[in-house]
Amino acid sequence: QDGRYLCQSCYSMAIYHNFQYKNIFDDIKKKFRRLGLQVNHDPTINIVGLNELQEIQAKTEGVKTSGDKMGYYRCTKLQNMDPRGRKKSSIVKADIFILDALPVNVVYRVLAHEYAHAWHEERMGKRKSMLIIEGFAEWISYHLLKQKGLHKVAESMKKRTDVYGRGLNYMLELEKKKGFDYVLKEVTK
């Protein structure tokens, strides 16, 4: 209904029910914990059409998403002061928006990516470049796909030449040189 075309193969592998998205998201949260990553707020999953996803991002960021955008993380923060009088933020509402009717392996990749944004948002020090923000989320998604046995999907992510692919390859190179924990420290400075 939103004008997207699904090939027969994608259509047959797509998921259409909220409980299926929820089950995948629950699995992703378990895998985050196995990696030692704890998200302190629980984003709400919202399954939406392409037009709604584009409208949500435009309202939040003032830009329209590209046609290949499949997910979006948004949080609302409350600013208050800590005992020393410094500004302190706390997340009061978080949402993950994901396109409906996606193949299960794509749902897994997108939800893992958006949930990585949730983890990063809680810990990010100063504002990072898009290469770091999107690269980190792709890197986490890459690792979770590998854990799930979706090696071809994970490896295909490295071939992208946009900010997502360049960021992923940067994170993988950093991990290769300095280790997994070092990457986590770097992205939260």
Side-chain angles (χ1 to χ4, degrees):
Q1 71 267 17
D2 60 16
R4 284 181 291 151
Y5 172 78
L6 295 177
C7 71
Q8 191 171 8
S9 176
C10 288
Y11 182 80
S12 67
M13 293 187 301
I15 59 175
Y16 301 95
H17 304 289
N18 291 357
F19 76 89
Q20 294 171 300
Y21 285 85
K22 183 187 179 315
N23 289 343
I24 292 169
F25 191 48
D26 288 344
D27 185 48
I28 287 167
K29 290 192 271 189
K30 286 178 194 168
K31 286 187 174 20
F32 262 69
R33 288 190 293 275
R34 279 193 214 124
L35 288 174
L37 306 175
Q38 178 68 38
V39 177
N40 298 319
H41 66 286
D42 199 19
T44 302
I45 300 295
N46 303 277
I47 301 141
V48 298
L50 180 61
N51 297 333
E52 187 177 353
L53 183 65
Q54 290 176 333
E55 288 172 17
I56 289 161
Q57 187 176 17
K59 285 179 188 172
T60 306
E61 295 182 358
V63 294
K64 190 169 181 163
T65 60
S66 62
D68 63 351
K69 183 87 173 173
M70 293 179 273
Y72 186 69
Y73 170 76
R74 177 180 72 188
C75 72
T76 305
K77 290 184 175 184
L78 179 64
Q79 296 281 332
N80 49 26
M81 301 294 216
D82 70 10
R84 294 183 179 165
R86 295 179 296 195
K87 283 185 181 177
K88 182 180 175 186
S89 296
S90 57
I91 295 171
V92 292
K93 179 159 176 34
D95 291 284
I96 292 174
F97 299 93
I98 185 167
L99 281 179
D100 61 353
L102 292 174
V104 66
N105 58 345
V106 176
V107 171
Y108 201 90
R109 180 177 58 80
V110 172
L111 283 177
H113 175 101
E114 300 307 333
Y115 198 53
H117 283 313
W119 182 90
H120 197 201
E121 186 71 33
E122 289 180 352
R123 290 158 183 83
M124 191 171 15
K126 62 181 180 174
R127 194 76 185 146
K128 306 288 185 218
S129 71
M130 290 305 289
L131 185 82
I132 301 299
I133 292 169
E134 297 301 344
F136 173 75
E138 284 290 277
W139 178 70
I140 292 293
S141 182
Y142 173 88
H143 279 291
L144 267 61
L145 287 165
K146 289 278 202 171
Q147 281 184 19
K148 187 74 174 166
L150 298 169
H151 299 284
K152 285 183 183 179
V153 178
E155 290 303 314
S156 72
M157 294 166 64
K158 295 187 328 188
K159 296 176 183 171
R160 292 179 70 169
T161 58
D162 58 8
V163 70
Y164 297 89
R166 290 191 323 270
L168 168 62
N169 287 310
Y170 172 76
M171 294 295 163
L172 288 170
E173 192 60 34
L174 197 58
E175 178 186 17
K176 185 178 175 182
K177 290 178 183 174
K178 306 249 181 167
F180 187 88
D181 290 336
Y182 181 83
V183 174
L184 297 178
K185 287 177 187 166
E186 273 302 295
V187 300
T188 56
K189 283 186 191 176

